[in-house]
Amino acid sequence: MTNEPHSLIGAKFNKKQSLRQTISTDLANTTPAISLVSINLPTNRQTLTNQIIPKTFNEILPTKVDNTDTKTEIANKALYTEPIERITGFTALSNGTFVLISTALTKHGNYNKLLFFDPRSSKSQKISGFKKVNCTIESLVATQDDKLIGIVSLNGGIPPFEMVIIDPKNGKVSSDSDLCLPELPPDRRFSNLALSPDGKIYATSLGVEGVTRLIQLDLDNRSMITGKVNIVTLSPLMFDKQPLRNDLLSLTFSPSGKVYALADPKNERTNSLFSVDIETGEMTPMSKIAVDKIAFSRN
């Protein structure tokens, strides 16, 4: 395998600081500590490239969002749960900026935050404008012209899902767009948005049959009946000559068009990097990798 001209980057929570240590009880307005890791594909060597939250006195400090006054669609939950925070989206803009989504699930409601990071600065916003309370963003991709597309769960991480546009200026989600995003079937899980070099968008789909499939969304291929983008179902993902039963954790295309996935198909609690044959869906393991999401830089 030859070295890609752009780096594969992994995103992960900073393990030096747990959720309880990171949050000052203000999950709605505070970003978690996240680190970026550069992965050399020929050697699979991993190098810490930068921390999104700067160090002060050898501690990783939380950062306030820019739009603390924005109201979000939340409601208290009947059942008490320990707070959980996940990185649910990771993508790159054409100017080299990385964009992440962090989603916090708490007894007071679910909070989604949009984080922008480049080597010189970082900023964050909480996300609002959802149709229902306690929605969660489960995937994120930037188009070739840097529009942000997300997949939203209307039910705290499970179906039904919908596709939305996220305004990078204020974190508002919207369904109305000249992109004519498709309506997603209500009985399937959708996740792992990824942009190919030719501008097509790929993702994964998982239904009651328990098989994870690749899907394609060509923004220039629209239904003559609805006018919305068509969803094209592709090959099922295959691991060890068997269909993949649990979903991927992340999917990304290299600038040369190679496909890579992050997954834990054997439930080992350790994520692994795979190369993926887009035609057959076959996944080839490459290495263990301690990150939550992967993306390629675009500049």
Side-chain angles (χ1 to χ4, degrees):
M1 180 179 295
T2 58
N3 193 12
E4 290 284 356
H6 296 211
S7 297
L8 178 64
I9 304 295
K12 65 178 182 177
F13 282 114
N14 192 304
K15 299 303 182 183
K16 294 181 180 179
Q17 196 171 29
S18 69
L19 179 63
R20 289 180 177 177
Q21 294 171 325
T22 302
I23 303 304
S24 60
T25 71
D26 189 10
L27 266 174
N29 297 307
T30 310
T31 61
I34 296 174
S35 297
L36 300 184
V37 177
S38 179
I39 304 156
N40 184 288
L41 289 178
T43 64
N44 295 321
R45 181 179 179 183
Q46 303 169 37
T47 305
L48 184 68
T49 61
N50 228 321
Q51 275 180 176
I52 292 179
I53 309 302
K55 285 186 177 181
T56 303
F57 301 109
N58 296 320
E59 288 189 47
I60 309 301
L61 298 180
T63 295
K64 288 284 187 179
V65 297
D66 297 335
N67 56 345
T68 55
D69 294 334
T70 298
K71 300 297 183 182
T72 57
E73 296 74 28
I74 60 168
N76 288 334
K77 300 177 182 177
L79 298 176
Y80 174 77
T81 58
E82 289 288 333
I84 299 172
E85 189 143 34
R86 302 174 291 141
I87 299 174
T88 58
F90 185 37
T91 190
L93 302 181
S94 58
N95 65 0
T97 299
F98 286 101
V99 188
L100 300 99
I101 299 284
S102 88
T103 297
L105 312 180
T106 80
K107 65 178 180 179
H108 299 299
N110 299 334
Y111 305 98
N112 301 272
K113 284 151 287 184
L114 187 63
L115 294 80
F116 297 88
F117 175 74
D118 64 42
R120 298 167 298 280
S121 63
S122 64
K123 64 178 182 178
S124 60
Q125 299 166 344
K126 56 185 176 182
I127 302 172
S128 63
F130 297 105
K131 290 180 179 179
K132 296 177 59 179
V133 298
N134 295 339
C135 290
T136 56
I137 295 182
E138 298 296 327
S139 190
L140 179 73
V141 70
T143 64
Q144 288 181 319
D145 56 355
D146 290 338
K147 290 184 175 68
L148 294 178
I149 298 176
I151 292 179
V152 172
S153 165
L154 303 177
N155 196 21
I158 61 176
F161 293 86
E162 69 172 3
M163 298 192 73
V164 298
I165 300 295
I166 306 174
D167 190 330
K169 296 179 181 178
N170 55 25
K172 288 278 188 180
V173 301
S174 171
S175 299
D176 297 326
S177 167
D178 57 1
L179 294 180
C180 298
L181 297 174
E183 293 184 5
L184 302 178
D187 57 346
R188 301 189 68 84
R189 168 180 168 81
F190 293 88
S191 192
N192 301 301
L193 291 169
L195 179 72
S196 68
D198 62 5
K200 293 182 176 66
I201 293 173
Y202 290 76
T204 57
S205 172
L206 176 61
V208 293
E209 77 282 2
V211 176
T212 304
R213 293 180 176 273
L214 291 173
I215 61 171
Q216 181 194 88
L217 294 85
D218 183 348
L219 297 180
D220 296 322
N221 178 8
R222 300 181 183 181
S223 169
M224 296 182 63
I225 299 174
T226 66
K228 295 183 179 294
V229 171
N230 285 317
I231 299 176
V232 180
T233 301
L234 304 177
S235 301
L237 289 169
M238 305 290 292
F239 174 67
D240 279 350
K241 299 182 180 180
Q242 298 292 325
L244 185 69
R245 296 294 178 180
N246 51 355
D247 206 355
L248 300 179
L249 302 171
S250 194
L251 183 72
T252 190
F253 282 77
S254 75
S256 66
K258 294 179 181 177
V259 188
Y260 299 92
L262 189 70
D264 181 16
K266 295 183 178 180
N267 296 312
E268 299 173 296
R269 297 186 178 181
T270 302
N271 299 337
S272 295
L273 182 67
F274 296 82
S275 61
V276 181
D277 186 319
I278 200 71
E279 298 296 330
T280 66
E282 188 66 36
M283 298 169 53
T284 302
M286 297 176 63
S287 66
K288 303 291 185 184
I289 178 171
V291 298
D292 302 308
K293 297 290 180 182
I294 53 175
F296 274 89
S297 60
R298 287 174 59 187
N299 72 344

